[in-house]
């Protein structure tokens, strides 16, 4: 008998399960049945795709039985099975990135934390909530030896050879006193119907049914075995046969990656396509983003089936990365059963299904947005949740998916200098001033800083709305968009469109509309008058700036910084530097000054170079600070400021 110690993470997890996570113990059965279903899926695929397994007699099923006197509950399948190494890898470790961090962050709120079981691939261990000891007897398909894994969940685990005639896995739970409530027909049947009714393989329950004579006296008992689930893939059933609860229950057991959101989807989309291509899709959008949404090694949420045969659940080609929050099923009638992962990546059928699915999802998102805008309170609540969770990945689609860019740009939302909450491009356009030519936006660190930016002063004074883009990704995505195009209603059978260029107010060329139509001469006169001051500031700042200009944006503030049209903004430069592209970040900003501000006016009256250097330095550094940029030499800024205050 080989004795092993659990990984540290497993010990931590088991301690949490046994001592804390007791609020929803019945989910252990859902997890074990889900594991059995996966094992059957894997063997079913191999029996049609690989010669080694085609000779195996395979009648897939899951069997459950219990013995109240012996205090045991058994879940058995005839799926792919495990060998000695598989048992050690699967049941002795948690081979999942982020598990340790997950354990460290768990709170003491047991009810909340219990919903996280399964989220990191730890569903099997939930059985220790109801069992003092667990034995797993397994034999891998096409291999001879069978093995038994056993553990009390405290002192590690043992693996030893064991007898089993056929492939598959049996999980034997030695129930604790608290777990005995599940050793009865009604509890098991209820749990299976609520959580696992959709499982595409038959689940059989074996139990003893009492027999009675004519006088109502018990005369004995008879062992019965009957199927307790529907055994039909839910996505294959007609929508007319299904209730909202059916979809929700399927979601709960489908992918524990999303189990932290109270186990109900935000909404779902069920489609059956017939014609050139025949396929069925069932997609879910969760209420909360999955924990790994922004991880490079995120777990994809879509499973691929061919004629109900499971093919893969870890292929990132099934859905574009910007829709990685979607989970569900694609079931094709046209793909070959032995399709390989390499073929999948270049398969034209799957490419067409993927494209059609993306368009369907986008149309459903748009329909929800339209219902919300029309005043549907339920739709409004769902839409606000959707935007709060998935606005950022949708923005990635603007950059990654050019063919669907027009549809995506109608969905993304931004904060605004004029309205509360989030707004769309379309809503912005509807509020534009009659003679306004561009859509204005500002990018940077956070909403509060951006709304207080001196760059907005003149726009606010003229009633021009500015979109507040405080998401890091905006720096990359929005400049690539260039413009927003809006389709106009059909006139005489023709569809017209109008477009507006997007202008960043923190760039030098965005202030064209700020000047009055008749103030060209006045601006030239002001520039001529301020030119000596500009020359003094340029000399004082040297190569810290690309240029110094008189600003049309400023009303109250003395200075601001902007980027040249063809240069990255300071925020973009910082982002590139964080990404290791330091050679691309050596760009200098343009300093704009308010010629009417008292601080600037002082420079007209002095030729004291030290005083000019102090004022110029403070004008530049405070403009950087307002934009959320860290100063290279804060102590020098403080010295200059102190000298000015003491004069």
């Amino acid at each position: 008998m080989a004795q092993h110690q659990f990984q540290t993470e497993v010990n931590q997890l088991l301690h949490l399960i046994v001592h804390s996570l007791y609020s929803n113990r019945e989910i252990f059965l859902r997890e074990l049945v889900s594991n059995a279903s996966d094992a059957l899926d894997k063997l079913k695929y191999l029996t049609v795709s690989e010669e080694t397994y085609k000779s195996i007699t395979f009648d897939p099923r899951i069997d459950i039985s219990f013995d109240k006197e012996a205090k045991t509950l058994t879940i058995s399948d005839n799926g792919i099975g495990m060998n000695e190494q598989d048992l050690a890898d699967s049941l002795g470790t948690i081979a999942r990135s982020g598990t340790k961090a997950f354990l460290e962050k768990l709170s003491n709120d047991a009810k909340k934390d219990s919903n996280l079981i399964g989220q990191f691939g730890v569903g099997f261990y939930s059985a220790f909530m109801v069992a003092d000891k667990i034995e797993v007897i397994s034999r891998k398909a096409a291999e001879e030896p069978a093995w038994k894994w056993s553990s009390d969940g405290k002192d590690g685990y043992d693996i030893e050879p064991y007898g089993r005639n056929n492939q598959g896995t049996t999980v034997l739970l030695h129930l604790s006193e608290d777990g005995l409530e599940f050793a009865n027909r009604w509890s098991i049947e209820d749990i299976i119907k609520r959580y696992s009714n959709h499982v595409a393989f038959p689940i059989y329950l074996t139990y003893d049914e009492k027999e009675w004579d004519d006088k109502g006296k018990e005369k004995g008992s008879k062992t019965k075995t009957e199927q307790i689930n529907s055994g039909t893939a839910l996505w294959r059933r007609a929508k007319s046969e299904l209730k909202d609860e059916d979809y929700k229950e399927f979601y709960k057991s489908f992918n524990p990656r999303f189990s932290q959101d109270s186990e109900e989807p935000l909404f779902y989309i069920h489609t059956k396509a017939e014609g050139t291509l025949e396929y069925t899709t069932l997609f879910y959008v969760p209420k909360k983003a999955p924990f790994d949404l922004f991880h490079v090694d995120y777990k994809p949420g879509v499973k691929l089936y061919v004629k109900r045969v499971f093919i893969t659940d870890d292929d990132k080609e099934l859905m574009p990365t910007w829709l990685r929050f979607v989970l569900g099923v694609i079931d094709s009638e046209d793909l070959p059963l032995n399709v390989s992962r390499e073929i999948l990546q270049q398969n034209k059928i799957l490419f067409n299904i993927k494209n059609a699915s993306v368009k369907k999802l986008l149309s459903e998102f748009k329909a929800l947005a339209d219902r919300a805008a029309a005043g549907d309170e339920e739709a409004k609540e769902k839409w606000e949740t959707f935007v709060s969770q998935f606005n950022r990945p949708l923005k990635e689609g603007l950059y990654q998916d050019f063919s669907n860019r027009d549809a995506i740009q109608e969905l993304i939302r931004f904060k605004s200098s004029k309205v509360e909450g989030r707004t769309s491009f379309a809503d912005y356009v509807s509020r534009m001033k009659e003679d306004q030519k561009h859509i204005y936006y500002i990018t940077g660190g956070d909403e509060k800083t951006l709304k207080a930016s001196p760059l907005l002063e003149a726009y606010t004074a003229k009633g021009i709305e500015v979109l507040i883009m405080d998401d890091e990704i905006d720096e990359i995505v929005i400049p690539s968009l260039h413009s927003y195009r809006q389709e106009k209603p059909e006139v005489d059978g023709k569809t017209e469109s109008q477009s507006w260029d997007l202008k960043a107010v923190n760039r030098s060329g965005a202030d064209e509309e700020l000047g009055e139509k008749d103030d060209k001469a006045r601006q030239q006169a002001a520039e001529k008058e301020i030119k000596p001051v500009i020359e003094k500031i340029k000399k004082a700042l040297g190569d810290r700036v690309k240029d110094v200009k008189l600003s049309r944006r400023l009303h109250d503030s003395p200075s601001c910084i902007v980027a040249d049209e063809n240069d990255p903004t300071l925020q973009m430069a910082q982002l590139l530097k964080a990404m290791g592209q330091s050679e691309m970040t050596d760009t200098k900003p343009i300093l704009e000054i308010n010629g009417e501000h008292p601080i600037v006016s002082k420079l007209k009256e002095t030729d004291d170079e030290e005083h000019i250097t102090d004022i110029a330095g403070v004008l530049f550094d405070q403009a950087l600070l307002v934009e959320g940029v860290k100063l290279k030499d804060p102590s020098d800024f403080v010295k200059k400021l102190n000298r000015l205050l003491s004069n």
Side-chain angles (χ1 to χ4, degrees), residues 324-378:
R324 59 189 176 276
F325 57 87
V326 173
L327 77 151
V329 171
I330 295 174
D331 192 349
S332 170
E333 293 294 319
D334 302 298
L335 285 166
L337 279 169
N338 62 346
V339 65
S340 69
R341 194 167 298 177
E342 290 74 22
I343 293 173
L344 278 178
Q345 293 175 5
Q346 302 174 4
N347 188 278
K348 188 175 181 180
I349 293 171
L350 190 59
F351 177 79
N352 290 334
I353 292 174
K354 176 181 174 180
N355 283 349
S357 296
V358 169
K359 291 185 184 303
K360 178 64 176 176
L361 285 164
L362 287 172
S363 70
E364 292 292 332
F365 298 163
K366 182 62 165 59
L368 179 63
D370 290 344
R371 292 198 304 274
D376 183 323
E377 287 301 321
E378 183 182 358

Side-chain angles (χ1 to χ4, degrees), residues 9-203:
E9 288 90 341
V10 178
N11 274 326
Q12 287 179 265
L13 179 72
L14 291 172
H15 183 271
L16 280 166
I17 287 174
V18 173
H19 294 93
S20 302
L21 308 183
Y22 272 79
S23 64
N24 191 16
R25 293 183 303 156
E26 64 188 27
I27 59 122
F28 83 91
L29 188 55
R30 178 192 74 184
E31 297 294 329
L32 295 180
V33 169
S34 178
N35 290 346
S37 176
D38 287 345
L40 294 170
D41 267 329
K42 288 172 183 175
L43 185 56
K44 186 175 181 180
Y45 172 62
L46 291 172
T47 58
V48 297
S49 63
E50 295 192 19
E51 290 297 327
T52 306
Y53 300 92
K54 286 184 178 179
S55 61
I56 293 176
T57 302
F58 184 49
D59 181 20
R61 61 183 288 162
I62 298 170
D63 284 279
I64 301 175
S65 61
F66 62 90
D67 187 330
K68 196 152 191 172
E69 290 185 8
K71 300 182 180 179
T72 61
L73 177 62
T74 305
I75 300 93
S76 184
D77 68 74
N78 59 341
I80 187 67
M82 294 177 280
N83 56 26
E84 183 180 17
Q85 189 61 48
D86 294 333
L87 286 167
D89 290 344
S90 299
L91 306 185
T93 64
I94 305 176
R96 193 66 173 283
S97 172
T99 303
K100 190 171 184 179
F102 157 68
L103 293 170
E104 290 171 350
K105 290 178 181 178
L106 276 178
S107 72
N108 293 321
D109 187 342
K111 290 187 178 181
K112 177 181 176 183
D113 294 338
S114 66
N115 289 328
L116 297 170
I117 288 179
Q119 185 180 337
F120 284 76
V122 296
F124 168 79
Y125 302 103
S126 64
F128 280 106
M129 290 194 296
V130 298
D132 292 326
K133 180 181 178 182
I134 300 176
E135 295 174 348
V136 180
I137 299 154
S138 193
R139 175 178 170 181
K140 195 162 188 174
E143 294 185 14
E144 284 297 325
W147 302 88
K148 182 173 82 170
W149 179 100
S150 58
S151 175
D152 62 2
K154 299 174 184 175
D155 303 319
Y157 60 94
D158 299 321
I159 297 179
E160 59 183 313
Y162 204 80
R164 183 182 172 104
N165 295 327
N166 63 329
Q167 85 281 341
T169 300
T170 298
V171 179
L172 176 62
L173 307 182
H174 294 270
L175 298 171
S176 62
E177 289 299 322
D178 288 335
L180 276 177
E181 64 177 290
F182 299 105
N184 69 81
R185 172 190 174 187
W186 310 112
S187 292
I188 294 170
E189 206 168 325
D190 175 61
I191 294 169
I192 295 299
K193 288 189 183 299
R194 280 192 290 125
Y195 292 120
S196 306
N197 201 43
H198 70 279
V199 171
F201 306 104
I203 301 173

Side-chain angles (χ1 to χ4, degrees), residues 434-451:
E434 190 174 338
D435 56 348
Q436 187 176 331
K437 299 174 183 177
H438 308 297
I439 294 174
Y440 292 99
Y441 69 92
I442 183 171
T443 57
D446 63 83
E447 181 182 3
K448 184 178 179 181
T449 299
L450 293 177
K451 283 188 172 181

